């Protein structure tokens, strides 16, 4: 609790010198004081003055070495020592010790005993101190103790010593300081808070509650603003108040001293207007304006305003003449107070004629009034008026009733030391300069008045004044004395007040006595004073009445005293009852006095009764409700905003937070990462409106959202700032409608506040959990954000990557599905996994916050040595789990490299630990007996297992009852009898819920992370700790680890074997049966890991698939099962899957080589990137099957250009024969052909609105076509030469064309008129483009330059140089900040539009670059090159993200679809190929290489397979399982060849970068790099002894290297063209090489001489191999022939023919009886070298075969293909017949359907049929009847519309749960 007067009056800006003087005055008076209480008070005042000195020193520090200032330091030390001794003398030991410590800080002589020590020791009292001289700073003060005044003072003090014996804190009101944002209880509480905020005292000077409160609030700027605003609003409420009664006035007057200057002056004007405009006299307003003026701060009052107010009061006073005495009394009292204030503030310029004289004359008239009260009040007002300057210099008042001062102490000190009456009076006039605050001048005032008292007897001025009585003519000292008395009362200096009254020179003046009695009466009647003080005031009145000798016999004074006592005795109310009794008792005593005159006076007064008069200080209670109550009851948006802010900041807590990094899109490379927070803040500062944050489960999206909200709240600016509003979407019911209002209601904002914010405030919405809320709506458009009259907001929204489909941007971009979205207002980022540095930072933070069992080094060791752990912890949530559970998962001393940690294993252990901690927490709780019994029962049964069962069942219920929405709202009454009771009502469940990883917010419950919910459901599918799953069949146990699987549907030996149904049906209640999990990727990840670890679970999954053949009730389970198995890496090679039902399954990137899927239900199945080579799909139901690709378009002629329409619905291709084909993108059927050009089309393009097509041709014309009507609009013929390029302006009103003669023409598309020609190029112009704002045109030509033109003037403004070849294409970025150029020099350059500096040079194409195009959002750039590839580049980082292959000739044109999800490229191979680059396509994590596999080899022990690729990596594969053991990356360029050094511990590789390198197979470290070749290295080989490596290079040479030293040992030089192959003979004595010169050469290793040249091939010889025996040499070349040579004779013994394309690779088997060959025709042939016959073929391998290798034991064969796949083939021989069977493959996700039978397959669309046929499928699917097709189209459109219009329904209805009587597949059944 805190007193209202806890803060002394604010100190002025005293210097250290002045503060020290004031301190010594207090100390002197404290020593003199006879009363110990008075001495203690003065000691306290001295301490306060010392605090002032400290503050003064802080403002102007004193250097200790400064001699002048050193004296002041010593003076401060001495003052503290004196104070210490005085307190010690009074018995306050603790306080004196505290003061001594402060003295030590000043560095003076603390051993000095002090100036009072000698007097203390001699027993001297105050009187013995007389005559001494004290140094006060630089002044000397003499105490004339022998003066008559001292004698009089002692006599008077003896009489009244029992009255006012102590000083008190006036107006004490207990107030509790509020917490931040707490509702204020009263206006005094508000005033107290503001006074604390304005105080200049140090915190040490405050009481502890105030100290702590102020320390807290000084850090809270918002709370300070709230309090200040509250005071402002109270004033505004007062202004709006029509009544303005006494209570309202009292309230605002209370606040006046703490208001700002502007607010104070505004309030003052309000009072003035109220008085001026009111017809009747408003006494309360009169009193209010007076008190307001008196409570003003320094500089607050304007002299003109005061003069104006006085003029108003003077007029009202004269108007009130003739009215009642009561009114005159009140008005005169108010005038007095205003005049007091004017005197205090030194108002000048008072007009004598207009104001001063009329008012003084009127007050003089009131002297004639018969009412003594009115006469006194008029006299008082007249004295005040005399002190108001009327155009002359007058005194400045010293003290304000609020305790505030204007000037320093020097004036008073100057007056005191002279002790001259006149000088003293002048000192009184200038007393205001001498005070620092009321509580600090008590001793000075006391001393001053006491010291001059004796002089009054000789002061003629005073004697004359006494005779005058109530003077109306001259200034009298009684007015000044009463003003001093007021100041002392105001500050509680009642002891000094008593001394002043007793010793004042005007003590006998009746006016002075009237004033004193009036003030005593007010103290006695004021309940804010304590009881003793009020009783002392009554006693003081009695003394004045009785003691005529001291106070005289003024009858009017005696009468006034009796009247006051009678009023007090008749007072009512509990606070006045005691004092009424005391006053009544005193009246009884006065009635019995012996003086007859007094008896008569008493009797007359009693008979007439008390006369009530207005008191000087009106203490009116404040209204209820008060103005403050009204303000706080109003809608306060910012108040609620502060509460929300503090709540959200508090909820954030101290969680570990590492700033996440992100990339621009799903397709972007991980090495293009940026800080997500910086990117989001850039978005917030832009005009964009939606920022989408994508990321995997546990990637840190929610953590980032909370951190973003925290940072935005930190920088939030009240009223004007954008409001950060975090919305947890799953917690909001139907967030697609009015989600902001719903969230604000949850935050307890009123409807009025919500309406106000909707219309006047801006928001930054942080929407978290789009996927968890299972949304499909575009929340931006459905909430009508930024539309007229709607919410003004930017949106940052997060979603799991796997939740979204191909066209996900439509769900987020501003706009809707019926109109093109505005991508310029949209931005996205994908949170990337932790980098190594982020992981380390996370661990350090975690250790600091949680102090786990392990230290940093322990975690580092685990991450370094536990396999795959580094990859796991790149996910932030998995990192948190790992750090939590790892110390308990790993035993001390355990071999870390043998420890297996999986994601699901981490969750297993985490949940167990959480439940164990929960159990301990409950054990330690004080439970009721009933709860304790339930807990013990749960513990006996196994508390942890019970907790896991609860978790599983709750997860199942959430998915089953709520469709997976994670938040469960439970109300015991509302949800009574529902499924929720089972989890939240029963006692046992409440205990389990408390122990489980659940959180609760009000009545909402959810798991601590979405992934825990998914883990719980996965555990419900298969719990390895469940007793029913503990027994694993022996057969299954024996088959762990088999790649091809042991289940009945898999054929072990590749032959059909009858599948058998399981003996016992699986659980029909399993979640797999009633819910489709195909799109729940996080859940599937748990299940796929279980499938890899648990053979029994894998068996159950196969059982579901098998059962689906017989009963369709298992089809959903079977679809889930096969999806899980595919994700778990199970390869269904040769599997018998006939008749299975797996609709909607996801088989993407699965392997079904040679599988039997006849009659299978494959409707809506996803086959993206699936390996279906030679799969049998006859009669399979395939309606709605999704292959993720579209067929290429065959034009029959070279296709030089292609383009999408702006809406993406049509597509055009320009052909070499001059035709333009138009296709519909719905089925890619040709719908129209434009003919007219007589030569090849060079460029074709749509107008921006899609209403026109422009084409240019070698025939020298540009033609404009109407695509809708199919007609020609204009032929533009002015060029007269071949036209290479045509481009539309972005407004679509112009088209630019460029010809080979160097001219650019600008045409009007409506009229076809050329209105501008641009000249300046010196050669052929190949390209032209408009800038996005159409103000600039860029063009490129064959002189290697890019020219930039002003589109308005036609002037060339810039030229860009840097290319070394013709510039074939230019393009502007969508934002216009960048220009890209493509050149024949094989590079692409990116130019900054502001500086025209080249920011990136993109290298990668190996021939000319003909086409470039920016993606719609501008983050990517696609390019097409002469080598037939399309490359996708990251614009910001300048890296190649992806290479698209398929064309076998030059790519002339490349374009993006409008949505950016497809790329189309036209080529010289007469096709247009289409690639899906959507988000879904990019999620596949390739198990194979991303580019061509140029070389494969088997390790000597047969355990590993090594592959090298053009993707600049090597991979090591487990030969048995196909698992990738190691990836060796970091290579600079493409790997063309690898060789295993004969010991098997190192790998040699040859690269495009002209080097040969050695790598350690065990560690993956580089051992040596051999430099010497001048061209790329095509082939490397190891000697049989492993001491040498040979390398064949494009530079025509073969170099020999020492493996150990890295030195070159020899050079084989003789080939006339590049050397392509090299091999050592088995004994190492010879080397065979082959070359582009069509020869094979044999070299002697000893001499490095060529011994034989083998001639016969008619084209490049690509590969050469020795037989194991060394007697035969095989060579293969691009002439499609394999030749077998006698190694000794060098003669060709046999030629092997059969391949119909180039043979790239050959290898002998271990026995040397078979030779394997691989060709560009996609066929592997096994040749019997003895007979030359082909013994076996492996056909239908997608892509060209580039490499082949036998295992060392000859049991299997490995191939590497152009598509990046690595395949292992088992080779068996039986009865002379060789059979090959695919064992496993590692693919890069390419759809493979070569040899796949689609005969009579049902439901395939024409597009899919065309795709499959193009990729090599065979057979004819069942044809859909045209009518059926129409019905299907109609039904599909109806279903789509129904889906779009239904609220809350997901796009994929398969994720819903089948309810009784409902069949979600009914539509597909009809198909």
């Amino acid at each position: 609790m805190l007193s209202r007067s806890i803060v002394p009056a604010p100190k002025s800006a005293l210097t250290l010198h002045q503060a020290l003087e004031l301190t010594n005055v207090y100390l002197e008076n404290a020593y003199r004081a006879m009363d110990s209480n008075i001495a203690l008070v003065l000691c306290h005042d001295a301490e306060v003055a010392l605090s002032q000195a400290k503050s003064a020193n802080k403002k102007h520090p004193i250097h200790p070495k400064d001699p002048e200032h050193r004296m002041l330091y010593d003076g401060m030390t001495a003052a503290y020592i004196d104070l210490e001794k005085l307190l010690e003398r009074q018995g306050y030991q603790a306080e004196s010790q505290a003061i001594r410590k402060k003295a030590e800080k000043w560095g003076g002589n603390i051993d000095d005993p002090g100036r009072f020590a000698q007097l203390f020791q001699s027993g001297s009292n105050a009187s013995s101190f007389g005559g001494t001289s004290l140094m006060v700073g630089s002044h000397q003060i003499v105490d004339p103790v022998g003066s008559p005044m001292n004698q009089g003072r002692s006599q008077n003090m003896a009489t009244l010593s029992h009255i006012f014996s102590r000083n008190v804190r006036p107006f004490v009101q207990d107030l509790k300081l509020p917490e931040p944002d707490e509702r204020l209880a009263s206006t005094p509480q508000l005033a107290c808070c503001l006074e604390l905020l304005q105080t200049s005292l140090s915190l040490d000077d405050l009481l502890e509650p105030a100290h702590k409160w102020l320390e807290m609030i000084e850090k809270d700027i918002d709370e300070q603003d709230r309090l200040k605003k509250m005071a402002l609003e109270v004033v505004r409420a007062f202004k709006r108040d029509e009544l303005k009664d006494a209570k309202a006035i009292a309230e605002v007057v209370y606040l006046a001293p703490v208001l700002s200057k502007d607010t104070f002056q505004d309030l003052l004007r309000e009072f003035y207007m109220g008085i001026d405009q009111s017809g009747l006299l408003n006494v309360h307003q009169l009193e209010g304006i007076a008190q307001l003026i008196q409570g003003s701060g320094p500089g607050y009052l304007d002299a003109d305003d005061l003069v104006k107010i006085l003029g108003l009061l003077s007029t009202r006073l004269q108007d009130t003449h003739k009215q009642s005495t009561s009114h005159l009394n009140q008005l005169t009292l108010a005038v007095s107070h205003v005049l007091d204030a004017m005197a205090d503030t030194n108002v000048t310029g008072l007009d004598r004629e207009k104001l001063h004289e009329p008012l003084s004359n009127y007050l003089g008239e009131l002297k004639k009034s018969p009412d003594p009260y009115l006469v006194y009040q008029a006299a008082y007002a007249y004295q005040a008026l005399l002190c108001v300057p009327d155009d002359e210099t007058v005194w400045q008042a010293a003290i304000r009733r609020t305790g505030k001062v204007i000037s320093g102490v020097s004036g008073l000190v100057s007056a005191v030391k002279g002790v001259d009456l006149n000088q003293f009076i002048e000192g009184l006039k200038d007393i205001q300069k001498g005070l620092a605050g009321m509580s600090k001048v008590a001793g000075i005032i006391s001393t001053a008045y006491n010291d001059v008292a004796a002089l009054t007897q000789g002061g003629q001025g005073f004697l004359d004044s006494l005779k005058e009585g109530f003077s109306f003519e001259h200034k009298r000292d009684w007015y000044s004395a009463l003003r001093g008395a007021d100041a002392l009362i105001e500050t509680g200096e009642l002891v000094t007040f008593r001394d002043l009254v007793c010793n004042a020179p005007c003590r006998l003046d009746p006016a002075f006595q009237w004033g004193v009695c009036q003030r005593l009466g007010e103290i006695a009647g004021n309940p804010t004073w304590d009881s003793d003080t009020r009783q002392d005031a009554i006693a003081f009145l009695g003394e004045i009445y009785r003691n005529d000798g001291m106070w005289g016999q003024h009858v009017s004074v005696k009468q006034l005293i009796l009247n006051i006592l009678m009023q007090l005795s008749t007072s009512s109310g509990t606070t006045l009852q005691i004092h009424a009794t005391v006053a009544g008792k005193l009246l009884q005593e006065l009635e019995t006095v012996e003086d007859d005159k007094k008896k008569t006076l008493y009797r007359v007064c009693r008979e007439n009764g008390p006369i009530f008069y207005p008191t000087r200080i009106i203490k009116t209670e404040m209204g209820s409700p008060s103005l403050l109550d009204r303000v706080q009851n109003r809608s306060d948006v910012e108040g609620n905003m502060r509460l929300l802010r503090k709540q959200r900041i508090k909820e954030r807590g101290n969680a570990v937070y590492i700033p996440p990094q992100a990339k621009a899109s799903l397709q972007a490379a991980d090495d293009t990462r940026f800080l997500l927070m910086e990117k989001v803040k850039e978005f917030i500062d832009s005009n964009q409106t939606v920022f989408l944050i994508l990321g995997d489960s546990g990637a840190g999206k929610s953590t980032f959202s909370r951190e973003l909200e925290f940072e935005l709240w930190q920088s939030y600016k009240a009223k004007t700032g954008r409001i950060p509003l975090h919305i947890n979407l799953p917690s909001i019911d139907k967030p697609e409608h009015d989600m902001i209002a719903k969230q604000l209601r949850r935050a307890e904002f009123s409807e009025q506040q919500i309406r106000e914010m909707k219309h006047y405030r801006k928001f930054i919405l942080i929407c978290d959990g789009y996927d968890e809320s299972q949304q499909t709506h575009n929340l931006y458009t459905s909430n009508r954000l930024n539309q007229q009259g709607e919410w003004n907001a930017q949106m940052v929204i997060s979603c799991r990557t796997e939740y979204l489909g191909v066209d996900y941007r439509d769900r987020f971009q501003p706009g809707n599905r019926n109109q093109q979205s505005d991508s310029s207002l949209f931005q996205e980022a994908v949170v990337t996994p932790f980098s190594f540095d982020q992981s380390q930072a996370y661990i350090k933070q975690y250790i600091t916050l949680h102090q786990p069992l392990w230290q940093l080094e322990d975690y580092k060791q685990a991450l370094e040595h536990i396999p795959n752990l580094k990859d796991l912890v790149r996910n932030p949530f998995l990192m948190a789990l790992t750090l939590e559970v790892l110390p308990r998962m790993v035993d001390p001393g355990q071999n870390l490299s043998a420890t297996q940690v999986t994601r699901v294993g981490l969750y297993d252990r985490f949940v167990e630990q959480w439940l164990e901690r929960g159990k301990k927490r409950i054990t330690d709780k004080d439970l009721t007996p009933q709860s304790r019994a339930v807990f013990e029962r749960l513990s006996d049964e196994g508390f942890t297992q019970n907790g896991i069962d609860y978790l599983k069942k709750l997860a199942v219920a959430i998915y089953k009852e709520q469709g997976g929405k994670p938040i469960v709202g439970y109300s015991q009454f509302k949800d009574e009898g529902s499924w929720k009771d089972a989890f939240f009502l029963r006692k046992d469940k409440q205990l389990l819920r408390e122990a489980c990883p659940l959180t609760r917010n009000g009545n909402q419950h959810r798991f601590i992370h979405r992934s825990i919910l998914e883990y719980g459901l996965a555990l419900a599918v298969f719990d390895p700790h469940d007793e029913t799953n503990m027994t694993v069949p022996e057969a299954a146990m024996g088959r762990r680890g088999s790649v091809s699987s042991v289940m009945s549907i898999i054929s072990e030996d590749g032959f059909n074997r009858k599948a058998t149904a399981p003996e016992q049906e699986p659980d029909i209640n399993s979640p797999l049966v009633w819910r489709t999990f195909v799109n729940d990727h996080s859940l599937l990840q748990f299940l796929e890991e279980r499938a890899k670890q648990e053979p029994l679970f894998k068996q159950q999954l196969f059982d579901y698939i098998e059962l689906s053949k017989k009963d369709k009730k298992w089809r959903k389970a079977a679809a889930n099962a096969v999806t899980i198995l595919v994700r778990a890496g199970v390869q269904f090679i040769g599997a018998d899957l006939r008749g299975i039902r797996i609709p909607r399954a996801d088989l993407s990137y699965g392997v079904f080589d040679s599988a039997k899927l006849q009659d299978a239900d494959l409707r809506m199945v996803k086959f993206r990137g699936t390996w279906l080579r030679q799969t049998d799909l006859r009669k399979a139901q395939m309606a709605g099957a999704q292959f993720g690709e579209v067929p290429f378009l065959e034009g029959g002629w070279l296709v030089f250009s292609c383009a999408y329409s702006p809406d993406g619905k049509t597509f055009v291709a320009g052909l070499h024969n001059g035709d333009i084909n138009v296709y519909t993108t719905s089925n890619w059927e040709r719908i129209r052909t434009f003919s007219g050009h007589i030569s090849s089309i060079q460029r074709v393009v749509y107008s921006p609105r899609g209403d026109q097509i422009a084409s240019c041709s070698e025939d020298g014309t540009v033609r404009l076509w109407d695509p809708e009507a199919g007609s020609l609009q204009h032929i533009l013929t002015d060029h007269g030469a071949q036209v290479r390029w045509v481009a539309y302006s972005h407004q679509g009103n112009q088209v630019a064309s460029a010809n080979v003669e160097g001219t650019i023409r600008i045409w009007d598309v409506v009229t076809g008129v050329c209105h501008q020609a641009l000249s300046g190029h010196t050669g052929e112009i190949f390209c032209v483009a408009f800038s996005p704002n159409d103000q600039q045109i860029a063009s490129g030509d064959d002189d290697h330059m890019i020219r930039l033109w002003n589109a308005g003037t036609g002037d060339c403004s810039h030229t860009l140089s840097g290319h070394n070849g013709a510039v074939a294409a230019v393009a502007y970025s969508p934002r216009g900040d960048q220009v890209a150029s493509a050149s024949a020099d094989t590079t692409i350059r990116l130019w900054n539009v502001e500086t025209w500096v080249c920011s990136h040079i993109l290298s990668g194409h190996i021939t000319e670059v003909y086409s470039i195009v920016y993606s719609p959002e501008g983050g990517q750039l696609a390019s097409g090159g002469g080598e037939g590839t399309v490359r996708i580049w990251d614009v910001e980082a300048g890296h190649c993200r992806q290479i698209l292959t398929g064309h076998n000739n030059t790519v002339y044109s490349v374009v993006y679809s409008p949505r950016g999800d497809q790329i189309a490229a036209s080529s010289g191979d007469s096709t247009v190929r289409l690639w899906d680059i959507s988000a879904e396509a990019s999620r596949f994590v390739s198990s194979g290489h991303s580019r061509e596999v140029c070389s494969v080899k088997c390790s000597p022990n047969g355990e590993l397979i090594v592959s090298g690729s053009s993707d600049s990596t090597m991979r090591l594969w487990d030969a048995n399982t196909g698992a990738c053991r190691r990836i060796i990356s970091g290579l600079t360029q493409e790997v063309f060849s690898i060789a295993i050094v004969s010991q098997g511990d190192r790998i040699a590789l040859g690269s495009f970068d002209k080097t040969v390198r050695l790598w350690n197979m065990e560690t993956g470290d580089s051992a040596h790099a051999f430099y010497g070749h001048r061209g790329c290295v095509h082939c490397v080989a190891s000697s049989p002894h492993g001491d040498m490596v040979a390398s064949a290079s494009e530079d025509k040479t073969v170099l020999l290297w020492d493996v150990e030293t890295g030195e070159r040992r020899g050079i084989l030089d003789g080939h006339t063209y590049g050397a392509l192959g090299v091999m050592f003979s088995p004994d190492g004595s010879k080397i065979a090489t082959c070359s582009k010169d069509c020869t094979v050469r044999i070299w002697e290793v000893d001499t490095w001489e060529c011994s034989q040249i083998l001639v016969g091939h008619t084209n490049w010889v690509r590969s050469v191999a020795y037989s194991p025996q060394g007697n035969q040499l095989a060579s293969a070349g691009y002439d499609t022939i394999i030749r077998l040579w006698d190694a000794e004779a060098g003669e060709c013994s046999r030629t092997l023919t059969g391949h119909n394309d180039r043979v790239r690779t050959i290898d002998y088997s271990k026995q040397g009886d078979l030779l394997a060959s691989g060709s560009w025709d996609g066929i592997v042939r096994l040749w019997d070298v003895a007979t030359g016959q082909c013994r076996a073929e492996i056909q239908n391998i997608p892509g060209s075969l580039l490499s082949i290798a036998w295992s060392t034991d000859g049991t299997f064969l490995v191939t590497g293909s152009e598509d990046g796949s690595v395949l292992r083939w088992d080779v068996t021989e039986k009865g002379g017949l060789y059979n090959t069977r695919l064992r496993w493959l590692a693919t890069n996700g390419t759809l493979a359907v070569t040899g796949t039978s689609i005969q009579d397959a049902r439901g395939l669309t024409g597009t899919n049929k065309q795709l499959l046929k193009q990729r090599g499928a065979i057979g004819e699917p069942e044809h859909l009847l045209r009518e059926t097709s129409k019905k299907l189209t109609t039904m599909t459109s109806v279903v789509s519309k129904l889906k779009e219009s239904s609220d809350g329904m997901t796009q994929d209805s398969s994720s819903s749960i089948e309810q009784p009587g409902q069949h979600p597949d009914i539509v597909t059944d009809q198909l």
Side-chain angles (χ1 to χ4, degrees), residues 8 598 649 659 768 1017 1056 1060 1215 1419 1599 1736 1771 1848 1871:
K598 287 185 180 178
I649 291 175
D768 188 31
L1017 190 65
N1056 292 337
T1060 58
L1215 308 182
L1599 299 182
V1771 180
L1871 296 177

Side-chain angles (χ1 to χ4, degrees), residues 33-42 90 92 165-167 495:
M34 298 180 180
D35 190 301
S36 61
N37 288 328
I38 295 175
L40 182 60
V41 170
L42 291 170
Q90 295 292 331
Y92 295 94
S165 59
R166 62 185 178 87
N167 293 327
V495 176

Side-chain angles (χ1 to χ4, degrees), residues 1637-1648:
D1637 62 10
C1638 307
T1639 68
V1640 176
R1641 293 176 182 253
I1642 299 177
W1643 310 76
E1644 299 296 329
V1645 171
D1646 292 339
T1647 64
W1648 319 123

Side-chain angles (χ1 to χ4, degrees), residues 1363-1437:
H1363 283 295
N1364 296 317
V1367 178
V1370 291
Y1372 280 91
S1373 65
R1375 295 183 183 179
D1377 57 344
Q1378 194 176 70
V1379 169
S1381 59
S1383 171
D1385 65 5
T1386 75
T1387 69
I1388 301 161
R1389 290 178 178 255
L1390 305 181
W1391 309 85
N1392 184 293
V1393 168
E1394 293 292 330
T1395 63
W1396 296 117
V1397 172
C1398 179
S1399 58
H1400 289 295
I1401 300 176
L1402 312 181
S1403 300
H1405 286 286
I1406 58 177
T1407 61
E1408 301 91 339
V1409 185
Y1410 285 99
S1411 179
I1412 51 176
V1413 62
Y1414 279 93
S1415 61
E1417 79 281 359
Q1420 300 176 7
L1421 183 79
S1423 61
E1427 75 278 11
T1429 66
V1430 173
R1431 293 176 181 253
I1432 301 175
W1433 309 86
D1434 184 286
V1435 170
E1436 185 173 349

Side-chain angles (χ1 to χ4, degrees), residues 1302-1346:
T1303 303
I1304 301 170
R1305 294 182 180 274
I1306 313 297
W1307 311 83
D1308 186 290
V1309 300
V1310 177
T1311 65
V1313 174
C1314 175
H1315 57 77
Q1316 196 171 19
L1318 311 180
S1319 299
H1321 282 286
T1322 58
E1324 296 184 19
I1325 303 176
F1326 292 110
C1327 53
V1328 65
F1330 279 92
S1331 65
N1333 61 10
D1334 290 336
Q1335 294 179 6
Q1336 194 176 69
I1337 296 173
S1339 59
D1341 63 10
D1342 63 357
D1343 65 359
H1344 311 172
M1345 305 291 288
I1346 301 120

Side-chain angles (χ1 to χ4, degrees), residues 720-736:
T720 60
R722 288 173 291 183
I723 300 168
L725 187 64
H726 186 279
I727 302 178
N728 184 13
L729 292 173
S731 67
I732 302 293
D733 183 37
K734 295 183 178 180
E736 60 270 22

